[in-house]
Amino acid sequence: MCRCFIHVFFVSLLFLFQYVNLFAQIETGETPYSLRYKSVFPDPPVIKMPGYDYDRLREESLAGDNLKKLRYARMIKTDIRLKEAGQRIKLGHGTLYRLAVFSEDAYSISLVFNEFRIPPEAKLFVYNSKRTHIKGAFTSRNNRPSEVFPVAPVNGEQVVVEYFEPDSRAFDGKLKIGKVGHDFLGIHDQMDKGVSGFGDSDYCQDSLDVNCPEGEAWQTVKHAVVKIVSNGSQCTGSLVNNVRSSGQPYLLTANHCLDNQEAAEETVAFFNYESSECNGEEPDTSEYHSLSGANLIATAPAKDQLDFTLIELNNEVPPGYKPYFAGWSLATDNIKRTASIHHPEGDVKKIAKDFDPPVTSTYPDTLYDVDSHWRVKEWDLGTTEFGSSGSPLFNQNKRIIGNLSGGYATCDNPVNDYFAKISRSWDDFGVEEHQLKAWLDPDNTGFTRIDGYLPYDSIPSNLKLQYRESGIRLSWNAPLNPEEVEYYGISRNGEFLDNTSQPFYMDNEVFQDSLYHYKVRAFLSGGDTTGYSKKASLVAGGAESLPFSEGFSVSEVLPKGWYEHNYRDKSNWSVSEGGYNTPENAAEEQYNILFKGQDEDSSKIITPAIDMNGEEYIYLSYFIAIPEQNGNVDHLNLYIRYADTLDWHLIRHYRDPISGWTSDSIYLPNPTANYRVAFEGVSNDGGGIALDSVEIFRDTKAFNPDFHARKDSVCEGDYLYFMPDTSNENFSYSWDFGYGASPRYVEGFGPHTIKYNEPGEKTVQLTINGVYQTTRKGMVTVGPLPSKPTIEVNEDTLSIPSEEDIQWYYDGAPRNGATDSIYIASEKGIYKVQVTNKF
């Protein structure tokens, strides 16, 4: 039981002492109906918002704190039903409803509809009184199950809401404005261009537009970064990839920017808000590149723990937005330099760079968990500002390692910015809604880094092949302009195969054990064609069973099911007897395979698919030799792929010379029914790469380690004893006792005595010898302590405001039957009360 005591000492009976789903914010860009007609419509009724001390809000926002969220608007709750409060005008084929919303001295006005459901062919517009800033038309494509629909800020202190509903409608539309946002800061520029924040960032950002020379190497990655507006605040976020590279529209930002479902539903994300020229005069991108509404997927359980939030936009990002899903890394070492792309003060995308490694740090004033942040000691180029919160911190490999919380960096003194580590956001908490891992690695692959994913290109992209009994199925992503595609042309083995109007195709004319190479291009309206996609290759055939072994016993041809993939349409792998110069013979039997290239050639040699479904503890073993030549060494990368429709993942690499045949082995994670391994040779003018005797097999000595604890529940702040259920102290033991454990990570056999400082269900994991692993979710329940009771004294009556289990004590002994919240004291002495909760 979890108990809390408080006692009082009676000097007398009268004197006591106490010790106490997104749907895109799709706009058609049409002209509102009232602006199309020559006749002048009467002014619509005006709904006025209540006044407020906005000067004080402005001062508070500008003073702020070291968190770098930009608060720009006060959200005013309303109940405005457009069809009831608005003006009605009968047009020839429908009815026009109009009203104005006025908030004195607002720089811009934003709206949140908490009822939005309109029929096909109905159209909604929002525009300012000067008619210089028009948003719409919004149509039934913006309907969503929650019926919440936010409209991004419109310039000016008064906006007109105009809704046309056709007579021949499928149902009656409903529109209710639940919130009006009064912009007290001015996130629109002062030239009435209707462009959020352009030019508002500080002076040192002038030459650091993402399209300046400093951003030249980031032209793909920049498309991951978006500006986020929600609940009167503006932050930055980034699209983030998952291990499936599925294009799931996950957006990573900070918990202090978004921490609840309501804020997620009211989010508007702006893509491609940037200047095409370095220090350009105006932004190049249309504000129509926006998506509204999302679902909260994961965030920290409390504001003072970790600073991350993952939301999922309610719709896929359209190809025309040129989305890029950034890769990530959980590594905390070998970080050489960093960069961040962000929207300071709501301005166009800027880039900041630090040419030194970040350091592990605790956020100032311990606002978040200890050592949960990266500290950028000093920016070498640029800085972050209000509005940059949530922006990604990239390592030298352009993978996200953190997201911005805040800090003290300014143009005048660009030091000490703090980014929440995604290695801590990854799985510090065991519950799925409080971690990134469950969403970015849903297959529990254990990968600690992945590259980004570019779903759309100027050509058909991401061509995938999948063998089925009836043939090979092809699928690909449409180019950036899918509406211009009339049909696709498919090439097989260098010759025309067929045309199709869909981004998929089934090739039924294939032969078992034959190798096929495919490419796809698009034929566009007007007679133009795109270039071909990258080549994809596959051997037609089913999966091999375990154990799998290949000794390359036949000369000249690759074994059954093996194939080489080289984008340059050349061959670098061949069957050989030994190496290029050395070794002279195969490691076993007569033949092996050999990589030899030039001019930075790279080529993968790929195994047949292996059926490992339902297996555990699978190993790959092989012989390799990588001799040097003139001091140069070729590189070998080892990849795995869980299915032919998924990406390759690097699990080992060789950079140093291996002069003679050497055996090596590696554990293969996450066995599947269609598993492949690839050995990629990369030429560095070295002596080649020799490979022999490849085997994939079950570990016959594998076991699932077990362990126990003395109890399955403790109170917050208590200790628990853990011990493995094995007797071999020579094994290597690695423990993870879950979030709130002190210490959390422990090496060694045990026993281990662990203190739990945070309540909740704890997941405990034991790994032996780096491979054999058992994870027990919810193994331990840590109960929170009851609130400390306060004894209220009224003459001889003692009471506590509590609904928990109660026990009163007198002079150290429990009083029989004294279990109510009220106790009558009849004697002088020391009285204590114990409160016990359900734990």
Side-chain angles (χ1 to χ4, degrees), residues 247-260:
Q248 201 86 2
Y250 290 143
L251 196 64
L252 178 67
T253 188
N255 170 273
H256 73 269
C257 292
L258 290 169
D259 64 357
N260 60 76

Side-chain angles (χ1 to χ4, degrees), residues 243 441 443-449 546 610-620 638-643 646-652 665-677 696-697 770-773:
V243 294
D441 186 13
D443 301 314
N444 196 29
T445 64
F447 290 139
T448 59
R449 67 179 185 272
L546 290 175
I610 312 295
D611 185 358
M612 307 179 185
N613 194 37
E615 298 284 352
E616 287 186 293
Y617 306 123
I618 305 300
Y619 277 87
L620 164 71
L638 178 58
Y639 292 88
I640 58 173
R641 187 168 71 185
Y642 298 138
L646 299 179
D647 288 340
W648 291 104
H649 291 286
L650 178 69
I651 59 172
R652 179 168 290 182
S665 63
I666 187 171
Y667 167 69
L668 296 179
N670 197 38
T672 65
N674 197 52
Y675 209 100
R676 292 185 192 267
V677 176
I696 300 175
F697 56 91
V771 175
Y772 311 123
Q773 187 176 91

Side-chain angles (χ1 to χ4, degrees), residues 119 131 230-231 245 376 430 435 560 579 623 647 652:
R131 302 176 181 179
S230 176
N231 198 31
S245 292
V376 174
Q435 61 167 250
K560 171 187 172 183
F623 281 89
D647 288 340
R652 179 168 290 182

Side-chain angles (χ1 to χ4, degrees), residues 741-783:
S742 179
R744 175 171 178 175
Y745 302 101
V746 179
E747 299 292 326
F749 179 78
H752 299 290
T753 302
I754 304 300
K755 181 181 180 181
Y756 280 102
N757 299 312
E758 296 286 343
E761 291 189 349
K762 306 301 177 182
T763 296
V764 181
Q765 184 178 84
L766 172 61
T767 304
I768 294 182
N769 293 343
V771 175
Y772 311 123
Q773 187 176 91
T774 295
T775 301
R776 296 174 63 179
K777 292 186 176 181
M779 178 185 183
V780 176
T781 299
V782 179

